[in-house]
């Protein structure tokens, strides 16, 4: 059997002043968290409405919506307040279409950091633009002055919803996770279930209620050295298992059609 094909949506940034200075990018750690489980990464360009959706959806067995330096543009959730920071509307337009299609088709997906924020916005939710300025909330931002293993190391506890997807996967009610985000979920989107909450009350993970397949988003970064942390590995393994099962069912349907 060929390797499962996992889609990785790309960011689109202009890195030079020239008209040809646009680049499509993805963090290498997301690629590694696909290949590390024996799957093949398929890069999905941020073409928005011009993306050939059917070609992508017919070929992927799952999609990982990874993090980014950019933020979801606030126009997607009705916020016109200035001070956005780095935006990437082509990625927004691409990902929101892809996520909706995954939910409709039952294609497994996982959202990480920006990915869980995109999932909340897709369902009509809103975002805190600066979590650290919300009264009573921790400063969840990346500590840039420390080494990677400290910045991406466990920072705070999250409590998993009893009987939820993550609780059933991990088997613990409380786990300690890393924290590298400035924005976060404010109003929960309709049709989403809270899967984890930080000790300061910040929503840290959600799942799609009644999803046909694996459909989970987390605010932390389980892709970072997942082999060293059992709960990170359990989450990513569950996603990849769902992708393998989806691939197998897709091939069975193809064989059945050919035989008929």
């Amino acid at each position: 059997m060929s390797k499962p094909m996992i889609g990785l949506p790309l960011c689109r940034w202009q890195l030079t002043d020239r008209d040809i200075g646009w680049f499509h990018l993805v963090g290498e750690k997301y690629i590694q968290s696909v290949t590390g489980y024996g799957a093949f990464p398929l890069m999905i360009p941020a073409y928005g409405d011009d993306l050939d959706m059917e070609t992508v959806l017919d070929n992927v067995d799952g999609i990982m919506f990874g993090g980014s330096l950019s933020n979801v543009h606030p126009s997607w959730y009705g916020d016109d307040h200035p001070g956005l920071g780095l935006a990437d509307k082509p990625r927004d337009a691409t990902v929101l279409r892809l996520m909706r299609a995954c939910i409709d088709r039952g294609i497994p997906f996982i959202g990480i950091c920006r990915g869980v924020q995109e999932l909340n916005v897709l369902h009509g939710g809103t975002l805190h633009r600066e979590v650290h300025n919300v009264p009573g909330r921790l400063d969840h931002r990346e500590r840039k002055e420390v080494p990677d293993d400290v910045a991406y190391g466990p920072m705070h506890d999250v409590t998993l919803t009893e009987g939820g997807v993550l609780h059933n996967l991990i088997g613990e009610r409380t786990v300690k996770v890393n924290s590298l985000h400035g924005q976060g979920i404010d109003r929960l989107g309709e049709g989403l279930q809270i899967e984890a909450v930080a000790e300061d009350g910040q929503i840290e993970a959600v799942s799609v209620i009644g999803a046909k397949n694996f459909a989970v988003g987390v605010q932390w970064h389980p892709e970072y050295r997942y082999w060293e942390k059992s709960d990170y590995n359990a989450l990513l393994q569950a996603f990849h298992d769902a992708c393998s099962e989806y691939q197998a069912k897709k091939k069975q349907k193809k064989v059945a059609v050919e035989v008929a």
Side-chain angles (χ1 to χ4, degrees):
M1 180 180 290
S2 61
K3 295 180 178 181
M5 191 83 72
I6 310 297
L8 290 175
L10 304 177
C11 298
R12 184 174 183 263
W13 298 343
Q14 189 170 23
L15 300 182
T16 77
D17 294 334
R18 298 183 182 276
D19 291 340
I20 59 171
W22 290 93
F23 287 73
H24 288 253
L25 307 165
V26 67
E28 186 174 74
K29 56 196 172 75
Y30 299 109
I31 298 174
Q32 292 173 339
S33 65
V34 168
T35 59
Y37 286 86
F40 187 86
L42 175 68
M43 308 305 165
I44 304 174
Y47 282 167
D49 291 341
D50 292 330
L51 179 68
D52 184 347
M53 287 280 289
E54 293 305 309
T55 295
V56 172
L57 298 171
D58 287 346
N59 285 279
V60 297
D61 302 302
I63 296 183
M64 177 179 288
F65 298 97
S68 173
L69 296 177
S70 68
N71 296 313
V72 178
H73 197 279
S75 61
W76 294 105
Y77 53 95
D79 184 351
D80 59 1
H81 190 276
L84 166 70
L86 180 63
D88 187 348
K89 293 189 80 171
R91 168 171 168 146
D92 296 340
T94 305
V95 164
L96 295 176
R97 289 182 66 211
L98 281 171
M99 274 190 172
R100 172 51 59 196
C102 285
I103 293 169
D104 292 343
R105 284 200 182 199
I107 297 174
F109 72 85
I110 184 170
I112 296 174
C113 196
R114 191 191 209 272
V116 72
Q117 296 169 17
E118 292 163 335
L119 181 57
N120 191 56
V121 169
L122 175 66
H123 284 80
T126 61
L127 303 177
H128 289 303
R129 302 276 289 279
E130 295 180 325
V131 173
H132 53 283
N133 284 329
V134 177
R137 296 292 160 87
L138 299 170
D139 188 342
H140 289 255
R141 292 175 296 178
E142 176 183 353
R143 295 173 59 190
K144 297 184 180 298
E145 74 283 0
V146 299
D148 289 353
D149 60 343
V150 177
Y152 280 82
M155 288 291 178
H156 62 73
D157 288 339
V158 295
T159 300
L160 307 185
T161 300
E162 186 171 4
V165 176
L166 295 188
H167 180 219
N168 290 334
L169 284 177
I170 297 171
E172 304 287 342
R173 284 297 312 281
T174 302
V175 295
K176 192 172 285 291
V177 300
N178 53 35
S179 187
L180 300 102
H181 61 101
Q183 300 200 337
I185 293 175
D186 180 7
R187 187 184 70 245
L188 183 68
E190 186 176 353
L192 298 178
Q193 171 178 293
I194 296 175
E195 290 286 340
V197 179
E199 54 201 58
D200 62 352
Q202 181 61 41
I203 298 172
E204 288 273 326
V206 300
S207 63
V208 178
I209 297 172
K212 301 173 185 176
N213 214 319
F214 192 92
V216 173
V218 298
Q219 187 60 75
W220 61 90
H221 287 267
E223 80 284 357
Y224 181 74
R225 302 179 78 161
Y226 57 84
W227 56 89
E228 295 181 350
K229 205 166 183 300
S230 61
D231 51 303
Y232 290 3
N233 179 64
L235 172 58
L236 292 178
Q237 186 66 64
F239 165 65
H240 282 282
D241 287 347
C243 294
S244 295
E245 292 172 9
Y246 182 85
Q247 179 195 38
K249 290 179 180 178
K250 191 166 62 173
K251 289 189 174 183
Q252 289 174 359
K253 290 180 180 178
K254 181 179 179 182
V255 170
V257 170
E258 290 174 349
V259 171

